[in-house]
């Protein structure tokens, strides 16, 4: 947790970057977080990350389509759930069932940490004004 907060603070402390740079920094933090949380060996990482990259591309594509087509939230969530189910089998091939399941929990934990950090930063900015 402390390492994550420190990394997130360091990532945001430099010159204000564009959205692409912020996104790539957060993605780098997510990779470090997941690697640590899942305790991936070198061999597991070599099998896992290509599958993860394809998984994130598919999730990202669903989100883009939602924004462009103004799809319903329920349809979007259903599509994402279907992708998660599909990749659960793929992650199980790359890792093992326990670590594959832990991935989804770790992914949720990372999102929670990012949201908490952003809320704390907003509150800090408000208190300074």
């Amino acid at each position: 947790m402390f390492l994550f907060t420190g990394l997130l603070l360091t990532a945001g402390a430099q010159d204000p970057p564009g959205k692409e740079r912020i996104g790539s920094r957060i993605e780098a933090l997510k990779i470090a977080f997941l690697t640590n949380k899942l305790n991936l060996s070198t061999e597991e990482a070599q099998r896992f990350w290509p599958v993860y990259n394809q998984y994130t591309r598919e999730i990202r594509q669903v989100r883009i389509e939602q924004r462009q087509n103004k799809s319903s939230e329920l349809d979007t969530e259903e599509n994402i759930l279907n992708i998660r189910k599909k990749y659960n089998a793929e992650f199980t091939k790359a890792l093992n069932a326990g670590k594959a399941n832990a991935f989804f929990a770790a992914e949720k934990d990372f999102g929670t940490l990012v949201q908490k950090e952003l809320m704390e930063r907003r509150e800090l900015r408000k208190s300074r004004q």
Side-chain angles (χ1 to χ4, degrees), residues 5-76:
T5 302
L7 288 172
L8 191 56
L9 289 173
T10 315
Q14 300 173 6
D15 295 333
K19 283 185 178 181
E20 299 82 22
R21 288 186 61 197
I22 291 172
S24 64
R25 286 181 180 166
I26 290 175
E27 188 62 26
L29 290 171
K30 186 176 185 180
I31 289 168
F33 180 86
L34 291 173
T35 300
N36 183 45
K37 191 86 166 182
L38 297 175
N39 194 25
L40 297 177
S41 69
T42 304
E43 296 80 22
E44 288 172 323
Q46 288 175 341
R47 293 187 310 262
F48 173 77
W49 291 113
V51 176
Y52 170 82
N53 291 335
Q54 184 61 36
Y55 164 79
T56 58
R57 279 191 289 275
E58 289 189 32
I59 297 285
R60 191 174 300 121
Q61 187 59 41
V62 167
R63 297 256 183 237
I64 290 168
E65 289 171 7
Q66 177 194 23
R67 284 192 300 272
Q68 290 175 344
N69 302 328
K70 306 216 186 297
S71 303
S72 78
E73 185 65 25
L74 287 177
D75 288 343
T76 300

Side-chain angles (χ1 to χ4, degrees), residues 72-104:
S72 78
E73 185 65 25
L74 287 177
D75 288 343
T76 300
E77 290 302 316
E78 182 178 21
N79 290 337
I80 289 172
L81 178 59
N82 289 334
I83 292 168
R84 290 169 59 96
K85 286 178 180 179
K86 168 185 162 184
Y87 278 91
N88 184 49
E90 297 300 316
F91 290 136
T92 301
K93 291 176 192 173
L95 305 171
N96 62 45
K99 282 190 177 184
N101 189 48
F103 160 73
F104 291 107

